[in-house]
Amino acid sequence: MGRRKSRFLRKPVEPFTVEAGLSADEVLNRMERTSFQGRSLGTARRIWEKMLGADVTIFLGTAGALSAGGMRMAIAHMIERRYIDCLVSTGANLYHDLHETRGRRHYIGSPSLDDAALAAERIDRVYDTLASEDDFCKNDEWIAAFALKLEKRPHTTREFLYKLGEYLWQETGNEGILTAAYKANVPIFCPAIADSSIGMGLSQARHRDVTAGAIDVIGDILESANIVIRKPATATIVLGGGTPKNFINQASVQAEFYDDRVGGHKFAIQIVTDVPHFGGASGSSLEEAQSWGKLSIESEKVTVHADVTLALPLLLTALETTGPEISRKRKKPEFDPSGRVLVMNGQPLGDNRFMTGSGS
Amino acid sequence: MGRRKSRFLRKPVEPFTVEAGLSADEVLNRMERTSFQGRSLGTARRIWEKMLGADVTIFLGTAGALSAGGMRMAIAHMIERRYIDCLVSTGANLYHDLHETRGRRHYIGSPSLDDAALAAERIDRVYDTLASEDDFCKNDEWIAAFALKLEKRPHTTREFLYKLGEYLWQETGNEGILTAAYKANVPIFCPAIADSSIGMGLSQARHRDVTAGAIDVIGDILESANIVIRKPATATIVLGGGTPKNFINQASVQAEFYDDRVGGHKFAIQIVTDVPHFGGASGSSLEEAQSWGKLSIESEKVTVHADVTLALPLLLTALETTGPEISRKRKKPEFDPSGRVLVMNGQPLGDNRFMTGSGS
Amino acid sequence: MGRRKSRFLRKPVEPFTVEAGLSADEVLNRMERTSFQGRSLGTARRIWEKMLGADVTIFLGTAGALSAGGMRMAIAHMIERRYIDCLVSTGANLYHDLHETRGRRHYIGSPSLDDAALAAERIDRVYDTLASEDDFCKNDEWIAAFALKLEKRPHTTREFLYKLGEYLWQETGNEGILTAAYKANVPIFCPAIADSSIGMGLSQARHRDVTAGAIDVIGDILESANIVIRKPATATIVLGGGTPKNFINQASVQAEFYDDRVGGHKFAIQIVTDVPHFGGASGSSLEEAQSWGKLSIESEKVTVHADVTLALPLLLTALETTGPEISRKRKKPEFDPSGRVLVMNGQPLGDNRFMTGSGS
Amino acid sequence: MGRRKSRFLRKPVEPFTVEAGLSADEVLNRMERTSFQGRSLGTARRIWEKMLGADVTIFLGTAGALSAGGMRMAIAHMIERRYIDCLVSTGANLYHDLHETRGRRHYIGSPSLDDAALAAERIDRVYDTLASEDDFCKNDEWIAAFALKLEKRPHTTREFLYKLGEYLWQETGNEGILTAAYKANVPIFCPAIADSSIGMGLSQARHRDVTAGAIDVIGDILESANIVIRKPATATIVLGGGTPKNFINQASVQAEFYDDRVGGHKFAIQIVTDVPHFGGASGSSLEEAQSWGKLSIESEKVTVHADVTLALPLLLTALETTGPEISRKRKKPEFDPSGRVLVMNGQPLGDNRFMTGSGS
């Protein structure tokens, strides 16, 4: 026709073609050239690869019933492979992980089961998944007993969860999120620990010994901001939103208050089902995060609007094709999360003062 | 402990484990033992396998911007492999398919593009996907020119779309939904054709010749119900909801009015993003469909709450491992959709009267 | 402090204050100064007032189970008050309206009822609402009997629905959507009539008389575009998305093809629960509509993300405070939808050719 | 017809009729006889009235950007009127409340503003709402300065927030959530305080004085459970889900562990936008909560799927017609939240041991 195509019309959509025996990697490659959330998931893999190739500290946030829903070994895998450097989680995900690491199980149910019948048999339902209330009560007691063994002083959730992972590993030798993080020296923060069964276990320890169960969640804020100040190049991967999403962003905002080298995460992936238009933090857009400085204006970012149980298995399996090689070369931050004071790359990070201008 | 486990706690969730090089088939196998929508997608594959192994007529409904979004060859694949027997679609999906079969493309864009700039360059945006308005106008004219060649009598959408697919194949020799359906003798219904650019093309034919562009959508109702009456064992796969979802169910309800052997679909899969609690048909539950008799009370069924572009590539690639073998043995209904009267398994189906008690 | 406030920080949010006895009007006034969807609903009222004050043809689109869900008299009210000029609806909304106008009812149920028990008693469930299948079958027969009385020639849905409303009024004298539109000479289009129980009634007429039940949906496209060409200043109100949303936009796009005075709707309100990021038309943003020219770049527009049953009662009751006065002065287009040819402001609009340059 | 109507078809839907000047109360009365979420909101008012008429302790949970979004005076109203007895909130809602009580404002913006431009002017966006980052930094410092004045010992969030409300009232004399709770002796818990700008302020106090900023979130668990044990008849109202929703349920579950008179909340209302099928706690159904014993099997309950900014103004304004009269007669629990130990109905509740069998 002689007429020049618009500058907007450069890269065509490639229809997905079905073939027997395709690997997850190849399926996701092909989805990357389609549209909507299929494309977004493909883009998430590319951004993750870039994160791994860059010199950044990668935060992972996990909310929703991921461990109960069969995602705990996938999260443990990210930790073990060091696809991420620091985990921020809801208490429930760590608690359900502990439940399985201790040899208990979650069970396949259905959303249409009779809840009165379940209650009568002391079975707790999470949508289509079930667990025994009695097993849960035993976990709570186990956590209480563990908490009673600790030094009678406040622990940040980071220190507490390290020691919990250590004890769990010693007791069970089983794989899971807490034990993987213990072995890989990946710090875990749980800012809303009081809103979880781990918190309930701690409260039961307190019930038995008034000097037990002291948790220093404000120390967590200082430590997490100091991780950012120590190395102001960061990235965030959010699964499900919730308190972890905001806590990771808050670390960046708080760090910037004390160190103006901090300029927001350089990369961001979020897999969420909430939407922006009701104003809640879980569904808030990554663009909105840029106004706050949580994300750098130049960041590479993608939102995948999907259930994590649907998106993560495909994403991680595809990443496993390229990720290990990229990850091998990366300069991972090295943590020692075993003591009262968190150590990063050989330097202690305060839990009682913000660092300033410490360089990377 | 000696205590018997509850009858509800029989089948444990198996945490998803990541491995390099896993096939889509294996990924989906593992997802089937997790929870939430990951499990639902795994279940969808099993139900589809059962459909293919049973002696049922399988309807597929497609709504949403699937063709523009890169899913047209996946839909064509289902037709070509005869994983489905009859397609009910929105006009847009067929139109965007025709656009690509005619050699035009959709393009990768972004939801944050400036719509005023796009409008100035006559580019139409569908979320993150773009197309040329000028190309669309040429399609409309092409459809109008085709419609002017047809006999000057009303056509059901089924007959019209067969002839459109035939002409498209003769003109282009390119693969796509319409051409695959033509070659496989799979009938296509488009009950809301007036709400689409195919309808716009037909209206432009009418503008040029007052005797052109007559479409008999009521004939479609009779034919689709007669397909069910002819063989009262049916199944439904719905991608995205919309008019196709309801039209497929309506065929079953209308058929039952004339033939009480009809008792609702035996199998149902829906992949939708809408939810039940606002009362709309797109999001309505499969349980609700049972109250209407659209679905048999004993039906096997699953809803996957996900974007089709995310779920379908994985589902179809996994199905390709087992589906061809199962499908080879199935008793597929044989259609001749080329004439004014639709023929099924050698017997003409009325477009002007409902059949009764004709047996399968 | 001496520092100037940012230009962005001009108009503060005013916290909603609760007071006994506030009118709906005052509640919505106060919501307009809050955030998120509360504010959006307040904005919708202002834009509707502007529509009524401007010289535009106002289209209303209705999808979802609005009539079954108790909204039919609210829609009838908009017609009777001439807050809108032309209705585009799904068939279900018109059918459920007819059901109640004929003296049958929908009933209050619950989403957790046992669907097998309902099916056994022939009761159809729409989320939390119930109806008798036997009553529905009688409606279908009533529609079939009516259709058999009509001249044996194709009718546009606009002509058919006018005559249906007329007959319904003569038979019952009851208020409702169809009868209000008949009395107010407001044309109704139902582009997906084949996907509804009205279509089923028409198919049953055809079953009894092969010359009955001919519907010309392509004529609807011509007529609806000619309404826009006749007066190229338009506005759109969409409740629920679906085929009506797209059909109204298509009328504008199709009109522009023949008359370049047409430049997209000047005002747009949509109350929807779908979201943009899955690519479907129901959830598509009004910004996206601007790229297509469906909406003018300068249009005033708002999306309210809410269930219509929650938003519409408050919106319409508030509008009733100011709307009648504004509406009294407006230059309403006058239709005569009674004949084969639709007449607008005294001039016949073609159903077989597009008008050009006819002025307003 | 002689045939008996089904037992399911007893109470017809009454179409909503529009009238000028209707009060919010009357609008909601009429919505109660419609369907879907309009009916759910009407039902929520009836259940709230029953709560107020029963002898129960009413918990309110608030998540999402309700204070920034204009709902803080509505929440303060519930506290002042004692429509609720105990508040569990995210930190953000309390922080944004403090921001306005201190005389700063949130501003009306738009979701389509340029976030880079906002970042350049240090303006933070929450969907369509804006605030000054500099104002926020000053709040943080103000909170830090306040925290430095407190005794150097751990405070539960309940004690800390009481003193914060007290100080805020003394300093400003302005109405808001924190000051209303202070004046009405309504305890506030903030289990995820570490994930909020209040936590950031506390961390800044710690930065200045290592002995400051100690928060005892485990004490909150004991206190909240003891509120339930003290009077095992409870009710829950949840706005938005999040940590407050779970914390309120956890109090009930934890209480039951120590006192088997506890049997779950007797009444439950939740207004949420999340859905159950992704397994997250925010969207989880009230039926599911019954399997856990969080809710009594006999409880009266309703979920309203809506944005709080849309639903709450109408709900509270309507409740104001009947609520004050009902509330006047209710036996409200009386708290003294001013000290290290929370006092309820004259009896101290432990923050270091669970009570048992204390009677109501």
Side-chain angles (χ1 to χ4, degrees), chain B residues 125 127 195 206-207 216 246 274 292 354, chain C residues 125 127 195 206-207 216 246 274 288 292 354:
Chain B
R125 181 168 72 83
Y127 190 58
D195 176 44
R206 172 86 57 91
H207 177 71
D216 177 19
N246 187 63
D274 287 355
W292 295 74
F354 293 103
Chain C
R125 181 168 72 84
Y127 190 60
D195 175 44
R206 172 84 58 90
H207 177 71
D216 177 19
N246 186 64
D274 287 354
E288 177 178 316
W292 294 74
F354 293 103

PDB file of all heavy atoms in Angstrom, chain B residues 125 127 195 206-207 216 246 274 292 354, chain C residues 125 127 195 206-207 216 246 274 288 292 354:
ATOM      1  N   ARG B 125      -7.328  -0.041  20.523  1.00  0.00           N
ATOM      2  CA  ARG B 125      -6.676  -0.769  21.609  1.00  0.00           C
ATOM      3  C   ARG B 125      -7.640  -1.729  22.299  1.00  0.00           C
ATOM      4  O   ARG B 125      -8.774  -1.361  22.593  1.00  0.00           O
ATOM      5  CB  ARG B 125      -6.133   0.236  22.642  1.00  0.00           C
ATOM      6  CG  ARG B 125      -5.410  -0.432  23.820  1.00  0.00           C
ATOM      7  CD  ARG B 125      -4.651   0.568  24.664  1.00  0.00           C
ATOM      8  NE  ARG B 125      -5.520   1.425  25.466  1.00  0.00           N
ATOM      9  CZ  ARG B 125      -6.033   1.087  26.663  1.00  0.00           C
ATOM     10  NH1 ARG B 125      -5.777  -0.090  27.192  1.00  0.00           N
ATOM     11  NH2 ARG B 125      -6.816   1.926  27.312  1.00  0.00           N
ATOM     12  N   TYR B 127      -7.109  -3.563  25.649  1.00  0.00           N
ATOM     13  CA  TYR B 127      -6.211  -3.656  26.804  1.00  0.00           C
ATOM     14  C   TYR B 127      -4.750  -3.435  26.396  1.00  0.00           C
ATOM     15  O   TYR B 127      -4.348  -2.289  26.229  1.00  0.00           O
ATOM     16  CB  TYR B 127      -6.417  -4.956  27.586  1.00  0.00           C
ATOM     17  CG  TYR B 127      -5.675  -4.925  28.903  1.00  0.00           C
ATOM     18  CD1 TYR B 127      -5.939  -3.935  29.837  1.00  0.00           C
ATOM     19  CD2 TYR B 127      -4.688  -5.852  29.204  1.00  0.00           C
ATOM     20  CE1 TYR B 127      -5.232  -3.875  31.037  1.00  0.00           C
ATOM     21  CE2 TYR B 127      -3.985  -5.796  30.406  1.00  0.00           C
ATOM     22  CZ  TYR B 127      -4.257  -4.802  31.304  1.00  0.00           C
ATOM     23  OH  TYR B 127      -3.564  -4.736  32.476  1.00  0.00           O
ATOM     24  N   ASP B 195     -24.021  -7.922  16.941  1.00  0.00           N
ATOM     25  CA  ASP B 195     -23.182  -7.145  17.839  1.00  0.00           C
ATOM     26  C   ASP B 195     -21.710  -7.445  17.546  1.00  0.00           C
ATOM     27  O   ASP B 195     -20.980  -7.933  18.385  1.00  0.00           O
ATOM     28  CB  ASP B 195     -23.534  -7.493  19.288  1.00  0.00           C
ATOM     29  CG  ASP B 195     -22.619  -6.795  20.279  1.00  0.00           C
ATOM     30  OD1 ASP B 195     -22.365  -5.601  20.073  1.00  0.00           O
ATOM     31  OD2 ASP B 195     -22.156  -7.456  21.217  1.00  0.00           O
ATOM     32  N   ARG B 206     -26.045  -4.825   2.956  1.00  0.00           N
ATOM     33  CA  ARG B 206     -27.446  -4.379   2.855  1.00  0.00           C
ATOM     34  C   ARG B 206     -27.533  -2.954   2.299  1.00  0.00           C
ATOM     35  O   ARG B 206     -28.428  -2.651   1.490  1.00  0.00           O
ATOM     36  CB  ARG B 206     -28.092  -4.452   4.238  1.00  0.00           C
ATOM     37  CG  ARG B 206     -29.482  -3.858   4.387  1.00  0.00           C
ATOM     38  CD  ARG B 206     -30.582  -4.820   4.026  1.00  0.00           C
ATOM     39  NE  ARG B 206     -30.540  -6.049   4.795  1.00  0.00           N
ATOM     40  CZ  ARG B 206     -31.173  -6.267   5.953  1.00  0.00           C
ATOM     41  NH1 ARG B 206     -31.957  -5.326   6.456  1.00  0.00           N
ATOM     42  NH2 ARG B 206     -31.067  -7.409   6.588  1.00  0.00           N
ATOM     43  N   HIS B 207     -26.629  -2.110   2.740  1.00  0.00           N
ATOM     44  CA  HIS B 207     -26.594  -0.726   2.276  1.00  0.00           C
ATOM     45  C   HIS B 207     -26.434  -0.678   0.749  1.00  0.00           C
ATOM     46  O   HIS B 207     -27.015   0.186   0.090  1.00  0.00           O
ATOM     47  CB  HIS B 207     -25.423  -0.006   2.947  1.00  0.00           C
ATOM     48  CG  HIS B 207     -25.214   1.410   2.528  1.00  0.00           C
ATOM     49  ND1 HIS B 207     -26.066   2.434   2.882  1.00  0.00           N
ATOM     50  CD2 HIS B 207     -24.225   1.990   1.794  1.00  0.00           C
ATOM     51  CE1 HIS B 207     -25.619   3.578   2.391  1.00  0.00           C
ATOM     52  NE2 HIS B 207     -24.507   3.340   1.719  1.00  0.00           N
ATOM     53  N   ASP B 216     -30.746 -15.305   9.720  1.00  0.00           N
ATOM     54  CA  ASP B 216     -31.862 -15.944  10.431  1.00  0.00           C
ATOM     55  C   ASP B 216     -31.370 -16.511  11.770  1.00  0.00           C
ATOM     56  O   ASP B 216     -31.065 -17.698  11.886  1.00  0.00           O
ATOM     57  CB  ASP B 216     -32.437 -17.061   9.551  1.00  0.00           C
ATOM     58  CG  ASP B 216     -33.555 -17.813  10.258  1.00  0.00           C
ATOM     59  OD1 ASP B 216     -34.125 -17.268  11.238  1.00  0.00           O
ATOM     60  OD2 ASP B 216     -33.846 -18.954   9.833  1.00  0.00           O
ATOM     61  N   ASN B 246     -24.536 -18.971  27.436  1.00  0.00           N
ATOM     62  CA  ASN B 246     -25.977 -19.117  27.593  1.00  0.00           C
ATOM     63  C   ASN B 246     -26.609 -19.839  26.413  1.00  0.00           C
ATOM     64  O   ASN B 246     -27.514 -20.656  26.574  1.00  0.00           O
ATOM     65  CB  ASN B 246     -26.621 -17.748  27.768  1.00  0.00           C
ATOM     66  CG  ASN B 246     -28.079 -17.872  28.091  1.00  0.00           C
ATOM     67  OD1 ASN B 246     -28.429 -18.421  29.126  1.00  0.00           O
ATOM     68  ND2 ASN B 246     -28.943 -17.418  27.177  1.00  0.00           N
ATOM     69  N   ASP B 274     -15.473 -13.830  35.577  1.00  0.00           N
ATOM     70  CA  ASP B 274     -16.615 -13.270  36.310  1.00  0.00           C
ATOM     71  C   ASP B 274     -16.965 -14.158  37.505  1.00  0.00           C
ATOM     72  O   ASP B 274     -16.609 -15.326  37.548  1.00  0.00           O
ATOM     73  CB  ASP B 274     -17.845 -13.169  35.391  1.00  0.00           C
ATOM     74  CG  ASP B 274     -17.689 -12.052  34.388  1.00  0.00           C
ATOM     75  OD1 ASP B 274     -16.690 -11.322  34.469  1.00  0.00           O
ATOM     76  OD2 ASP B 274     -18.555 -11.929  33.513  1.00  0.00           O
ATOM     77  N   TRP B 292     -31.563 -25.299  36.697  1.00  0.00           N
ATOM     78  CA  TRP B 292     -32.293 -25.078  35.451  1.00  0.00           C
ATOM     79  C   TRP B 292     -32.391 -26.337  34.587  1.00  0.00           C
ATOM     80  O   TRP B 292     -33.059 -26.316  33.549  1.00  0.00           O
ATOM     81  CB  TRP B 292     -31.581 -24.024  34.606  1.00  0.00           C
ATOM     82  CG  TRP B 292     -31.530 -22.649  35.175  1.00  0.00           C
ATOM     83  CD1 TRP B 292     -30.756 -22.212  36.206  1.00  0.00           C
ATOM     84  CD2 TRP B 292     -32.262 -21.512  34.721  1.00  0.00           C
ATOM     85  NE1 TRP B 292     -30.956 -20.870  36.415  1.00  0.00           N
ATOM     86  CE2 TRP B 292     -31.877 -20.401  35.518  1.00  0.00           C
ATOM     87  CE3 TRP B 292     -33.208 -21.299  33.696  1.00  0.00           C
ATOM     88  CZ2 TRP B 292     -32.398 -19.123  35.351  1.00  0.00           C
ATOM     89  CZ3 TRP B 292     -33.722 -20.022  33.523  1.00  0.00           C
ATOM     90  CH2 TRP B 292     -33.329 -18.949  34.347  1.00  0.00           C
ATOM     91  N   PHE B 354     -38.702 -28.270  15.525  1.00  0.00           N
ATOM     92  CA  PHE B 354     -37.941 -29.079  16.459  1.00  0.00           C
ATOM     93  C   PHE B 354     -38.228 -30.547  16.193  1.00  0.00           C
ATOM     94  O   PHE B 354     -39.375 -30.932  15.942  1.00  0.00           O
ATOM     95  CB  PHE B 354     -38.309 -28.724  17.900  1.00  0.00           C
ATOM     96  CG  PHE B 354     -37.893 -27.342  18.287  1.00  0.00           C
ATOM     97  CD1 PHE B 354     -38.817 -26.300  18.352  1.00  0.00           C
ATOM     98  CD2 PHE B 354     -36.561 -27.055  18.572  1.00  0.00           C
ATOM     99  CE1 PHE B 354     -38.432 -25.024  18.695  1.00  0.00           C
ATOM    100  CE2 PHE B 354     -36.168 -25.765  18.919  1.00  0.00           C
ATOM    101  CZ  PHE B 354     -37.109 -24.747  18.981  1.00  0.00           C
TER     102      PHE B 354
ATOM    103  N   ARG C 125     -32.685 -21.075  39.480  1.00  0.00           N
ATOM    104  CA  ARG C 125     -31.999 -20.158  40.391  1.00  0.00           C
ATOM    105  C   ARG C 125     -31.083 -19.203  39.632  1.00  0.00           C
ATOM    106  O   ARG C 125     -30.343 -19.619  38.747  1.00  0.00           O
ATOM    107  CB  ARG C 125     -31.180 -20.957  41.410  1.00  0.00           C
ATOM    108  CG  ARG C 125     -30.438 -20.088  42.420  1.00  0.00           C
ATOM    109  CD  ARG C 125     -29.875 -20.894  43.571  1.00  0.00           C
ATOM    110  NE  ARG C 125     -28.739 -21.703  43.187  1.00  0.00           N
ATOM    111  CZ  ARG C 125     -27.461 -21.252  43.124  1.00  0.00           C
ATOM    112  NH1 ARG C 125     -27.183 -19.984  43.385  1.00  0.00           N
ATOM    113  NH2 ARG C 125     -26.483 -22.063  42.775  1.00  0.00           N
ATOM    114  N   TYR C 127     -28.413 -16.888  41.131  1.00  0.00           N
ATOM    115  CA  TYR C 127     -27.707 -16.582  42.367  1.00  0.00           C
ATOM    116  C   TYR C 127     -28.623 -16.718  43.589  1.00  0.00           C
ATOM    117  O   TYR C 127     -28.829 -17.819  44.051  1.00  0.00           O
ATOM    118  CB  TYR C 127     -27.015 -15.205  42.306  1.00  0.00           C
ATOM    119  CG  TYR C 127     -26.094 -14.995  43.485  1.00  0.00           C
ATOM    120  CD1 TYR C 127     -25.031 -15.849  43.722  1.00  0.00           C
ATOM    121  CD2 TYR C 127     -26.302 -13.964  44.399  1.00  0.00           C
ATOM    122  CE1 TYR C 127     -24.199 -15.693  44.819  1.00  0.00           C
ATOM    123  CE2 TYR C 127     -25.475 -13.792  45.503  1.00  0.00           C
ATOM    124  CZ  TYR C 127     -24.430 -14.667  45.712  1.00  0.00           C
ATOM    125  OH  TYR C 127     -23.628 -14.507  46.804  1.00  0.00           O
ATOM    126  N   ASP C 195     -30.172 -15.276  21.770  1.00  0.00           N
ATOM    127  CA  ASP C 195     -29.609 -15.864  22.994  1.00  0.00           C
ATOM    128  C   ASP C 195     -30.478 -15.471  24.186  1.00  0.00           C
ATOM    129  O   ASP C 195     -30.046 -14.787  25.093  1.00  0.00           O
ATOM    130  CB  ASP C 195     -28.168 -15.356  23.159  1.00  0.00           C
ATOM    131  CG  ASP C 195     -27.565 -15.837  24.460  1.00  0.00           C
ATOM    132  OD1 ASP C 195     -27.750 -17.015  24.784  1.00  0.00           O
ATOM    133  OD2 ASP C 195     -26.921 -15.017  25.147  1.00  0.00           O
ATOM    134  N   ARG C 206     -41.934 -20.420  15.081  1.00  0.00           N
ATOM    135  CA  ARG C 206     -41.449 -20.991  13.812  1.00  0.00           C
ATOM    136  C   ARG C 206     -41.802 -22.476  13.707  1.00  0.00           C
ATOM    137  O   ARG C 206     -42.150 -22.969  12.624  1.00  0.00           O
ATOM    138  CB  ARG C 206     -39.929 -20.800  13.739  1.00  0.00           C
ATOM    139  CG  ARG C 206     -39.197 -21.486  12.586  1.00  0.00           C
ATOM    140  CD  ARG C 206     -39.202 -20.680  11.301  1.00  0.00           C
ATOM    141  NE  ARG C 206     -38.614 -19.371  11.475  1.00  0.00           N
ATOM    142  CZ  ARG C 206     -37.317 -19.067  11.303  1.00  0.00           C
ATOM    143  NH1 ARG C 206     -36.465 -19.993  10.925  1.00  0.00           N
ATOM    144  NH2 ARG C 206     -36.881 -17.834  11.475  1.00  0.00           N
ATOM    145  N   HIS C 207     -41.652 -23.168  14.836  1.00  0.00           N
ATOM    146  CA  HIS C 207     -41.968 -24.607  14.872  1.00  0.00           C
ATOM    147  C   HIS C 207     -43.418 -24.844  14.459  1.00  0.00           C
ATOM    148  O   HIS C 207     -43.741 -25.837  13.792  1.00  0.00           O
ATOM    149  CB  HIS C 207     -41.737 -25.124  16.298  1.00  0.00           C
ATOM    150  CG  HIS C 207     -42.078 -26.559  16.530  1.00  0.00           C
ATOM    151  ND1 HIS C 207     -41.340 -27.591  16.011  1.00  0.00           N
ATOM    152  CD2 HIS C 207     -43.071 -27.143  17.250  1.00  0.00           C
ATOM    153  CE1 HIS C 207     -41.859 -28.751  16.388  1.00  0.00           C
ATOM    154  NE2 HIS C 207     -42.910 -28.510  17.140  1.00  0.00           N
ATOM    155  N   ASP C 216     -34.844  -9.564  11.891  1.00  0.00           N
ATOM    156  CA  ASP C 216     -33.816  -8.943  11.047  1.00  0.00           C
ATOM    157  C   ASP C 216     -32.828  -8.167  11.921  1.00  0.00           C
ATOM    158  O   ASP C 216     -32.935  -6.956  12.088  1.00  0.00           O
ATOM    159  CB  ASP C 216     -34.498  -8.012  10.034  1.00  0.00           C
ATOM    160  CG  ASP C 216     -33.490  -7.279   9.171  1.00  0.00           C
ATOM    161  OD1 ASP C 216     -32.325  -7.729   9.085  1.00  0.00           O
ATOM    162  OD2 ASP C 216     -33.881  -6.246   8.594  1.00  0.00           O
ATOM    163  N   ASN C 246     -21.350  -3.018  23.760  1.00  0.00           N
ATOM    164  CA  ASN C 246     -20.647  -2.978  22.484  1.00  0.00           C
ATOM    165  C   ASN C 246     -21.560  -2.484  21.367  1.00  0.00           C
ATOM    166  O   ASN C 246     -21.131  -1.740  20.482  1.00  0.00           O
ATOM    167  CB  ASN C 246     -20.121  -4.370  22.142  1.00  0.00           C
ATOM    168  CG  ASN C 246     -19.265  -4.329  20.902  1.00  0.00           C
ATOM    169  OD1 ASN C 246     -18.214  -3.687  20.896  1.00  0.00           O
ATOM    170  ND2 ASN C 246     -19.717  -4.973  19.827  1.00  0.00           N
ATOM    171  N   ASP C 274     -16.961  -6.166  35.824  1.00  0.00           N
ATOM    172  CA  ASP C 274     -15.797  -6.728  35.138  1.00  0.00           C
ATOM    173  C   ASP C 274     -14.646  -5.734  35.150  1.00  0.00           C
ATOM    174  O   ASP C 274     -14.837  -4.539  35.348  1.00  0.00           O
ATOM    175  CB  ASP C 274     -16.149  -7.071  33.683  1.00  0.00           C
ATOM    176  CG  ASP C 274     -17.028  -8.299  33.596  1.00  0.00           C
ATOM    177  OD1 ASP C 274     -17.269  -8.926  34.634  1.00  0.00           O
ATOM    178  OD2 ASP C 274     -17.482  -8.604  32.496  1.00  0.00           O
ATOM    179  N   GLU C 288      -9.887   3.169  26.840  1.00  0.00           N
ATOM    180  CA  GLU C 288      -9.699   2.293  25.682  1.00  0.00           C
ATOM    181  C   GLU C 288     -10.718   2.625  24.587  1.00  0.00           C
ATOM    182  O   GLU C 288     -10.375   2.661  23.406  1.00  0.00           O
ATOM    183  CB  GLU C 288      -9.853   0.838  26.138  1.00  0.00           C
ATOM    184  CG  GLU C 288      -9.750  -0.177  25.021  1.00  0.00           C
ATOM    185  CD  GLU C 288      -9.854  -1.616  25.533  1.00  0.00           C
ATOM    186  OE1 GLU C 288      -9.234  -1.947  26.560  1.00  0.00           O
ATOM    187  OE2 GLU C 288     -10.562  -2.422  24.895  1.00  0.00           O
ATOM    188  N   TRP C 292     -10.670   3.848  19.944  1.00  0.00           N
ATOM    189  CA  TRP C 292     -11.521   3.395  18.834  1.00  0.00           C
ATOM    190  C   TRP C 292     -12.394   4.515  18.256  1.00  0.00           C
ATOM    191  O   TRP C 292     -13.102   4.292  17.282  1.00  0.00           O
ATOM    192  CB  TRP C 292     -12.487   2.313  19.319  1.00  0.00           C
ATOM    193  CG  TRP C 292     -11.872   1.039  19.756  1.00  0.00           C
ATOM    194  CD1 TRP C 292     -11.178   0.809  20.915  1.00  0.00           C
ATOM    195  CD2 TRP C 292     -11.893  -0.218  19.066  1.00  0.00           C
ATOM    196  NE1 TRP C 292     -10.785  -0.509  20.985  1.00  0.00           N
ATOM    197  CE2 TRP C 292     -11.212  -1.162  19.866  1.00  0.00           C
ATOM    198  CE3 TRP C 292     -12.446  -0.643  17.845  1.00  0.00           C
ATOM    199  CZ2 TRP C 292     -11.046  -2.500  19.488  1.00  0.00           C
ATOM    200  CZ3 TRP C 292     -12.291  -1.974  17.470  1.00  0.00           C
ATOM    201  CH2 TRP C 292     -11.594  -2.876  18.278  1.00  0.00           C
ATOM    202  N   PHE C 354     -27.591   3.264   5.036  1.00  0.00           N
ATOM    203  CA  PHE C 354     -27.100   4.267   5.973  1.00  0.00           C
ATOM    204  C   PHE C 354     -27.369   5.645   5.399  1.00  0.00           C
ATOM    205  O   PHE C 354     -27.195   5.888   4.206  1.00  0.00           O
ATOM    206  CB  PHE C 354     -25.597   4.079   6.213  1.00  0.00           C
ATOM    207  CG  PHE C 354     -25.284   2.804   6.936  1.00  0.00           C
ATOM    208  CD1 PHE C 354     -24.772   1.703   6.248  1.00  0.00           C
ATOM    209  CD2 PHE C 354     -25.512   2.688   8.306  1.00  0.00           C
ATOM    210  CE1 PHE C 354     -24.489   0.514   6.915  1.00  0.00           C
ATOM    211  CE2 PHE C 354     -25.229   1.504   8.979  1.00  0.00           C
ATOM    212  CZ  PHE C 354     -24.723   0.416   8.278  1.00  0.00           C
TER     213      PHE C 354
END
